[in-house]
């Protein structure tokens, strides 16, 4: 009985938090629409986030591509279908793994940093001081961070995909003897413009989740150093949960759209 | 200038105060003293618009308002000078050379010339307090709220800060509302002193009247007596 009650409470807590985060996102978007001079601070955040994350993305990208190519090859080789290695690997990286890995990296590196930074500003009354001066802290602190992280996630996805496919090609060549031309030849069969569109949409949404959750948790932190610690922990937990939830939902929706589009075109 | 009517504030079903009223006229310097946890800072934050009252009304008859926070709330990622340039840019829309000149003039006024490029954590507590005062004043507010302006400072620095507050008030012709636990500074800064204790606000009068008060709560607070109406019912 207690286990059921705990489960219900946890589920309710999840959706309550989701609602509060969605309302916060709405508040940020309204502030963005009603204020000016946002371009430069957002650009500064894009540069900051991209610069801080690019090395991790490069490192992770190479290994994700490398691991995937080995795993996919293991399966394909059972059916003598190695010819599809490049296409399957690239499609998987673009559609699923790329946006997901980028968002997890962003959550760990930038999300935690943002939650801690805003949380510290909240508990040391710096946000109150901004408000007291008659300046909207959402405009000054949150708008640049939120949109900066979202735009950066697209840039990092682009870099990550190139590196990941590069890593996969290298491993395919050295470990399996599949040359670059062979590897690339099957890519058009599996990757289309819509694949890139889906990846960009996912990266944008996941980046938005990372940014909104971390800004929200930091902005509403309370209770000194302990409160900041809790804000960072909760930001990490909720970001990952929401991304997985969004990934599941979005993948289904995008697959459904693709099936419908194919049937409309008469493609089986 | 500041009008608080029947204000009430509670946290988690616990009322901090109810039916609290206060009027501060233009040019006045009102000081609220009282035991810790009595709601002084809460009242100040309500007047600043940072907290909403559960009941009653609060009105401040001024476009902009300056506030010195108890722990200064300086922007720790900005330098001393940038801490002053920020409100100039955001509130007064002054930038460039004009802003820098004004910031440096205020830093000179509070005795922080030469510290422009330092960060807040690189200067002493007293200097941080003075920087906080300069940041509150640089937008030339007509109403200034001071939350424990001398908390944690040694007696000499406290006296100097209180003197600075008094001097700047005369120069800027502003209205002050200060909360403090330090009676000496309350006498130095205020021309009207109130006691906020047990959810009630009691007018003690001017500094001389307060020193001669017959009010038992105020006497207990001023002289730090262990027994009296303020500690009744406490272990």
């Amino acid at each position: 009985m207690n286990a059921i009650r705990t489960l219900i409470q946890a589920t309710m807590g999840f959706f309550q938090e989701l609602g509060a985060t969605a309302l916060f996102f709405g508040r940020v978007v309204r502030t963005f629409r009603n204020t000016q001079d946002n371009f430069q601070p957002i650009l500064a955040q894009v540069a900051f986030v991209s610069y801080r994350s690019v090395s991790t993305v490069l490192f992770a990208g190479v290994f994700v591509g490398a691991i995937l190519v080995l795993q996919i090859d293991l399966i394909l080789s059972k059916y003598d279908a190695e010819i599809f290695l490049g296409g399957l690997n690239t499609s998987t990286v673009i559609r699923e793994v790329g946006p997901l890995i980028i968002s997890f990296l962003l959550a760990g590196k930038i999300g935690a940093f943002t939650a801690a930074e805003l949380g510290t500003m909240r508990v040391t009354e710096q946000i109150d001081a901004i408000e007291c001066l008659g300046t909207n802290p959402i405009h000054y602190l949150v708008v640049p961070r939120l949109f900066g992280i979202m735009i950066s996630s697209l840039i990092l996805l682009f870099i990550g995909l190139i590196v990941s496919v590069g890593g996969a090609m290298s491993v395919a060549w050295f470990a399996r003897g599949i040359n670059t031309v062979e590897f690339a030849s099957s890519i058009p069969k599996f990757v289309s413009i819509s694949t890139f569109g889906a990846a960009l949409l996912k990266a944008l949404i996941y980046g938005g989740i990372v940014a909104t959750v971390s800004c929200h948790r930091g902005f509403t932190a309370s209770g000194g150093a302990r409160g900041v610690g809790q804000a960072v922990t909760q930001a990490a937990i909720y970001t990952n949960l929401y991304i997985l939830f969004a990934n599941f939902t979005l993948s289904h929706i995008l697959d459904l759209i693709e099936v419908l589009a194919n049937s409309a075109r008469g493609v089986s | 200038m500041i009008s608080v009517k029947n204000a009430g504030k509670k946290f988690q079903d616990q009322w901090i105060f109810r039916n609290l009223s206060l009027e501060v006229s233009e040019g006045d310097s009102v000081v609220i003293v009282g035991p810790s946890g009595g709601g002084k800072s809460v009242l100040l934050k309500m007047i600043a618009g940072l907290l909403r009252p559960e009941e009653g009304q609060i009105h401040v008859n001024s476009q902009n308002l300056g506030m010195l926070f108890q722990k200064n709330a300086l922007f720790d990622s900005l330098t001393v000078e940038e801490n002053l340039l920020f409100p100039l840019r955001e509130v007064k829309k002054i930038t460039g050379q004009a802003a820098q000149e004004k910031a440096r003039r205020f830093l000179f006024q509070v005795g922080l010339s030469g510290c422009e490029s330092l960060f807040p954590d690189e200067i002493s507590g007293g200097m941080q307090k003075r920087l906080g005062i300069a940041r509150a004043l640089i937008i030339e507010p007509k109403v200034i709220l001071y939350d424990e302006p001398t908390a944690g400072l040694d007696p000499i620095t406290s006296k100097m800060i209180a003197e600075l507050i008094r001097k700047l008030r005369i120069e800027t012709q502003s209205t002050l509302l200060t909360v403090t636990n330090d009676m000496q500074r309350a006498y130095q800064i205020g021309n009207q002193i109130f006691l906020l204790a047990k959810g009630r606000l009691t007018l003690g009068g001017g500094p001389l009247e307060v020193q001669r008060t017959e009010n038992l709560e105020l006497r207990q607070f001023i002289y730090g007596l262990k027994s009296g109406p303020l500690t009744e019912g406490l272990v």
Side-chain angles (χ1 to χ4, degrees):
Chain A
M1 207 54 189
N2 273 345
I4 294 170
R5 194 177 298 144
T6 311
L7 190 71
I8 291 170
Q9 279 175 347
T11 312
M12 279 175 69
F14 175 82
F15 284 108
Q16 265 175 4
E17 185 59 36
L18 187 65
T21 309
L23 287 175
F24 183 76
F25 181 74
R27 201 173 147 196
V28 179
V29 172
R30 271 198 308 278
T31 307
F32 174 72
R33 283 170 54 188
N34 297 335
T35 52
Q36 292 162 346
D37 307 327
N38 286 314
F39 181 69
Q40 214 148 1
I42 290 175
L43 207 62
Q45 274 298 319
V46 170
F48 172 77
V49 173
S50 304
Y51 177 74
R52 274 192 66 130
S53 313
V54 73
S55 56
T56 320
V57 167
L58 288 173
F59 189 79
V62 170
F63 284 101
V64 165
I67 294 162
L68 267 181
V69 87
L70 291 175
Q71 290 299 315
I72 293 171
D73 182 61
L74 212 63
I75 298 161
L76 291 179
S77 60
K78 285 183 188 168
Y79 304 98
D80 287 329
E82 289 98 326
I83 192 151
F84 298 124
L85 182 64
L88 268 176
N89 178 83
T90 311
S91 168
T92 311
V93 167
I94 296 174
R95 291 173 74 100
E96 293 294 333
V97 183
L100 214 55
I101 292 284
I102 296 294
S103 63
F104 284 149
L105 291 176
L106 270 178
K109 198 151 190 175
I110 301 300
F113 177 84
T114 305
E117 190 183 28
L118 292 181
T120 306
M121 290 188 79
R122 170 60 79 192
V123 300
T124 56
E125 297 180 318
Q126 291 179 54
I127 293 177
D128 286 346
I130 292 173
E131 216 168 320
C132 210
L133 288 166
T135 303
N136 183 351
I138 297 267
H139 170 228
Y140 182 68
L141 297 172
V142 182
V143 167
R145 281 169 176 77
L146 195 138
F147 290 101
I149 293 172
M150 283 176 80
I151 296 167
S152 296
S153 69
L154 298 179
I155 296 168
L156 293 169
L157 175 75
F158 184 69
I159 296 168
L161 290 182
I162 291 172
V163 173
S164 182
V165 173
M169 273 182 177
S170 311
V171 172
W173 182 303
F174 291 115
R176 297 289 182 262
I178 298 167
N179 68 40
T180 312
V181 177
E182 272 180 276
F183 187 93
S185 64
S186 65
I187 293 178
K189 287 193 181 75
F190 292 87
V191 178
S192 62
I193 294 292
S194 68
T195 318
F196 282 104
L200 289 176
L201 182 69
K202 282 183 174 182
L204 199 68
I205 291 174
Y206 302 164
I209 290 172
V210 171
T212 311
V213 174
S214 55
C215 287
H216 179 232
R217 296 313 315 171
F219 200 78
T220 53
S222 63
R226 193 184 162 87
V228 176
Q230 276 175 344
V232 175
T233 311
Q234 285 174 344
I237 293 169
Y238 283 112
T239 302
N240 291 338
L241 285 177
Y242 294 158
I243 288 172
L244 291 172
F245 183 68
N247 189 41
F248 173 77
T249 315
L250 212 55
S251 293
H252 268 286
I253 292 170
L254 291 171
D255 285 350
L256 197 68
I257 290 170
E258 198 167 326
V259 168
L260 288 174
N262 285 344
S263 63
R265 284 201 305 266
V267 181
S268 61
Chain B
M1 204 67 171
I2 301 172
S3 169
V4 180
K5 279 183 190 154
N6 303 318
K9 181 74 194 166
K10 65 176 177 181
F11 289 111
Q12 292 163 350
D13 298 331
Q14 175 86 40
W15 286 98
I16 306 294
F17 49 71
R18 291 188 87 168
N19 292 321
L20 191 142
S21 296
L22 171 73
E23 292 290 332
V24 182
S25 308
E26 193 173 349
D28 260 2
S29 177
V30 169
V31 176
I32 299 173
V33 295
S36 302
K40 303 188 297 292
S41 294
V42 170
L43 175 62
L44 218 58
K45 283 186 179 174
M46 279 165 55
I47 292 169
L50 299 172
L51 291 175
R52 264 191 215 160
E54 258 72 42
E55 54 186 33
Q57 286 147 16
I58 294 174
H59 180 70
V60 181
N61 191 15
S62 174
Q63 281 286 321
N64 51 18
L65 184 144
M67 180 162 177
L68 174 72
F69 288 80
Q70 195 170 351
K71 289 173 187 162
N72 306 319
L74 298 170
F75 306 128
D76 51 17
S77 58
L78 304 181
T79 64
V80 165
E81 186 172 81
E82 285 165 350
N83 263 274
L84 299 192
L85 293 176
F86 175 79
L88 284 177
R89 186 184 66 231
E90 295 294 323
V91 182
K92 291 286 190 181
K93 311 290 174 206
I94 304 173
T95 53
Q97 187 72 24
Q100 198 177 35
E101 276 172 18
K102 188 164 184 179
R104 295 209 166 175
R105 198 168 67 243
F106 269 75
L107 286 176
F108 175 76
Q109 266 188 298
V110 297
L112 287 177
S113 292
C115 301
E116 290 84 359
S117 56
L118 295 176
F119 284 89
D121 62 358
E122 294 174 326
I123 57 177
S124 71
M127 289 160 97
Q128 287 179 5
K129 213 48 113 178
R130 281 184 273 155
L131 177 58
I133 294 172
R135 190 183 63 183
L137 293 178
I138 201 157
I139 55 168
E140 293 164 12
K142 285 285 152 211
V143 175
I144 307 165
L145 310 174
Y146 289 106
D147 190 359
E148 305 275 8
T150 58
L153 299 177
D154 66 84
I156 300 167
T157 313
S158 292
K159 196 170 180 181
M160 283 163 63
I161 294 285
E163 198 52 54
L164 179 69
I165 290 172
R166 212 162 66 127
K167 188 186 105 185
L168 292 173
R169 180 190 148 235
I170 295 162
E171 280 175 19
T172 56
Q173 300 282 301
S174 46
T175 306
L176 300 195
L177 179 58
T178 309
V179 302
T180 181
N181 278 326
D182 185 340
M183 284 313 298
Q184 294 307 315
R185 300 312 135 225
Y187 298 143
Q188 205 176 340
I189 298 169
N191 52 25
Q192 270 196 92
I193 299 170
F194 287 82
L195 173 76
L196 178 58
K198 293 194 157 182
R200 290 189 309 271
L201 196 63
T202 314
L203 173 62
L208 285 174
E209 280 173 89
V210 169
Q211 285 171 62
R212 290 195 292 257
T213 186
E214 292 300 320
N215 181 303
L216 292 177
E217 286 185 345
L218 200 48
R219 282 181 71 84
Q220 186 190 359
F221 183 77
I222 294 169
Y223 299 111
L225 304 173
K226 270 201 284 187
S227 56
L230 292 179
T231 45
E232 238 169 44
L234 295 177
V235 180

